[in-house]
Amino acid sequence: MAQHSLRPCKKMGCPELTRDESGYCDKHRYIYEEQQKKRWNTMEKDRKSARERGYDTRWDKARKGYLIKHPLCVECMKERRYTPATVVDHIKPHRGNKQLFWDRDNWQSLCKRCHDMKTARGN
């Protein structure tokens, strides 16, 4: 994987250079982590539990069956990597729409890494 180029730390007045994705040097990375924690807590505060969002026993069975039929991560396969899938992802977020939730054409198998990256991008 390519490294990021060196850039100044985002902390005002800090002379250190960093390659960290956060933009902060090791000494000031805590600032980024605190910002992320606040964002996460704000986001999670109003979020329903997984079971309340429809991820129940029926989903568990459907997920297991889908992963048996589609065992590899579709994103990794695009890069000719063969990674076992562990997540059934909704391609288009269902946002509570039960029809979209259960539409198997809207499902894809992903490894945790690819799912986490997709979720972080917000799509």
Side-chain angles (χ1 to χ4, degrees):
M1 188 183 293
Q3 284 188 329
H4 295 283
S5 57
L6 285 170
R7 58 186 173 209
C9 175
K10 286 183 177 180
K11 171 73 173 159
M12 187 74 75
C14 179
E16 294 295 317
L17 298 175
T18 184
R19 283 194 168 94
D20 195 277
E21 290 178 357
S22 71
Y24 290 95
C25 67
D26 290 342
K27 182 178 176 183
H28 296 113
R29 183 163 169 75
Y30 74 92
I31 296 169
Y32 172 76
E33 290 167 356
E34 286 174 1
Q35 291 170 344
Q36 290 299 94
K37 192 174 184 179
K38 283 180 188 174
R39 283 188 197 113
W40 179 257
N41 288 338
T42 300
M43 200 171 66
E44 285 295 303
K45 180 175 61 173
D46 299 323
R47 191 171 187 191
K48 295 179 182 177
S49 73
R51 294 290 177 199
E52 290 171 326
R53 294 190 323 267
Y55 297 97
D56 54 14
T57 305
R58 180 179 170 208
W59 169 256
D60 294 340
K61 290 177 185 177
R63 175 194 165 277
K64 184 177 180 180
Y66 191 86
L67 288 174
I68 289 169
K69 290 180 182 174
H70 306 90
L72 298 175
C73 174
V74 297
E75 289 299 320
C76 287
M77 287 193 328
K78 289 177 185 177
E79 298 175 16
R80 297 180 186 230
R81 292 192 325 259
Y82 299 95
T83 310
T86 56
V87 178
V88 175
D89 174 62
H90 290 91
I91 300 166
K92 180 180 177 185
H94 59 85
R95 309 226 191 279
N97 178 330
K98 289 293 182 187
Q99 187 172 353
L100 193 55
F101 183 94
W102 289 107
D103 180 1
R104 289 177 180 254
D105 291 335
N106 188 40
W107 295 0
Q108 65 182 347
S109 296
L110 296 176
C111 65
K112 181 172 179 354
R113 178 180 171 272
C114 288
H115 183 262
D116 290 351
M117 288 193 311
K118 178 184 181 247
T119 301
R121 287 190 308 265
N123 37 330

